[in-house]
Structures are given as structure tokens and as C-alpha cells.
Amino acid sequence: MPTLYKPFRGSHGISRGFTGRDYRTQHTGVDYRTPKRTPVLASAAGVVVRSVDLTVSYGRYIIIAHSGGVFTLYAHLDKRQAGEGARVAVGQRIGLSGSTGRSTGPHLHFEVRKGRNSSAATVNPVPLLKGSPPTVTELTEPTGLTGLTDAPGAVGAAVVSAPEAAEVTDVTDVTDEPDTREVVEPGETVEPGEAVEPGGVREPGVAPDQ
């Protein structure tokens, strides 16, 4: 397990914590009360394997693969600033927090997953986090990333060298496909009176912010 840090600097409270792995009935991540456009930072060095824009579910989100079969997910972003294949250092800015997707207010939904791909089971991130990440001074080369089943073919092609670097714009391989775990069956409702069209998606187990 790599050393993981909070995905931001400073202090932001938790509006909803991790309640379990079952995305159908439980909250599989942590919601931080980050104001809109708070810099979102990589929790550890790794490679971006998903950088996606959705209008539902997680909204704009990024998934980073780390050593040891660990993945971190950053959702409801106002802006993505790292494309698929980008190698990022711990503490490097990858986006800005927001309220996209299924969200009733600005916050950052953060997950830690462990397994062979980015759809692996989630674990409670809070006991794993070591505080604010260090300031980025140079890129840290990720290790132990072989054997990933969903790593993009362009891994290593797009590199962001500092948290203030210009955003990666080459995201031609990005798809809008969410994890299969998030698919909502036809006719299912997310909230009272809010029908979901066949093939729609939602953020598993996450209720609107309080």
C-alpha cells in the first residue's frame, strides 16, 4: 500500500463518511466540504487511468492507479486538469472541486479502491490518509503498476510537471463509460419522483449532501 495523503491542502470537514463497500445501499467514499474550485491534488504518485466528463453520477471525475493495486477516485470536479495516461506526483494538482453530476452542492467525493482494476472494492480512506500532501518539487516515478487490466495504452505520454502547470488537453481516448457497478436498471429511481432513463447512471450509495 503506498502512502496516501488527503487530496487537498488545508482543512475541510467531512459531510458524509464511508459506510461500506456495497454501492447499492452504502456510501463507498468520503465527501469533503471543499468550496468550489478548491485545488484537488493527487493522493499519491501514479498514472491517470480515467479522466471523464459525465452529466450524472460522479460528474467530472478522475481515477489514478498507484502501486500495490491501489486506485484513488476524485469526483464531482468543476474542472479536470490531467488526461488519461498522465503520470502525476503526490500532491500534484489534477483538477478543481465542484458540484458536477449527482450533487446538490460543492464538495469532493474521494474513494480508495484496492484490486486489479479501477472497479475494485472500496476501502475506508480516512484511516489511510497521512494529512496534507507534500509540496511538489519534482515528479515521482510510479512503480508497481504492471498488470493493470484497464491502464490506457498511452500511459506515460502526457506528463504534468507541477501543480500549476497548464492542464492536459489531449484526452482523445477518454470515454464517457462509467464503471459497470454504477449502471442503473431501467425504471429505477434515484430520488422520489426522479426517474432514471434506461442506461442511466448514478453515484452508488451516495445521497445528496446535507
Side-chain angles (χ1 to χ4, degrees):
M1 172 79 72
T3 299
L4 299 176
Y5 295 88
K6 289 183 179 179
F8 48 78
R9 290 194 178 90
S11 178
H12 300 289
I14 294 175
S15 59
R16 189 173 187 191
F18 177 89
T19 62
R21 296 181 176 183
D22 187 348
Y23 66 91
R24 294 165 297 185
T25 60
Q26 297 173 308
H27 191 232
T28 55
V30 173
D31 289 346
Y32 288 102
R33 295 189 185 95
T34 52
K36 188 175 181 180
R37 300 185 70 82
T38 297
V40 176
L41 313 176
S43 182
V47 176
V48 177
V49 293
R50 285 199 180 189
S51 184
V52 177
D53 284 347
L54 292 178
T55 58
V56 291
S57 183
Y58 289 126
R60 294 189 179 98
Y61 73 95
I62 287 174
I63 298 179
I64 300 175
H66 310 283
S67 61
V70 174
F71 298 81
T72 52
L73 178 146
Y74 314 76
H76 305 303
L77 302 177
D78 183 71
K79 192 173 189 177
R80 295 179 295 111
Q81 295 179 303
E84 291 185 0
R87 290 180 179 270
V88 296
V90 58
Q92 186 168 327
R93 191 172 74 183
I94 58 172
L96 301 174
S97 66
S99 186
T100 58
R102 185 170 179 250
S103 170
T104 59
H107 72 287
L108 174 64
H109 178 83
F110 177 72
E111 292 186 11
V112 174
R113 299 175 178 180
K114 187 168 175 57
R116 285 191 57 80
N117 59 52
S118 62
S119 295
T122 56
V123 297
N124 186 1
V126 174
L128 306 176
L129 302 180
K130 304 299 183 183
S132 296
T135 301
V136 175
T137 55
E138 61 182 22
L139 279 177
T140 302
E141 184 70 11
T143 59
L145 296 174
T146 58
L148 296 175
T149 60
D150 61 352
V155 165
V159 177
V160 180
S161 60
E164 299 300 322
E167 66 184 277
V168 175
T169 57
D170 182 11
V171 289
T172 54
D173 292 331
V174 172
T175 68
D176 287 342
E177 295 180 2
D179 292 345
T180 55
R181 301 188 310 167
E182 301 168 28
V183 174
V184 176
E185 296 298 324
E188 184 178 353
T189 58
V190 175
E191 297 176 332
E194 181 184 350
V196 176
E197 295 298 324
V201 293
R202 67 174 180 183
E203 183 177 331
V206 177
D209 289 344
Q210 301 297 320

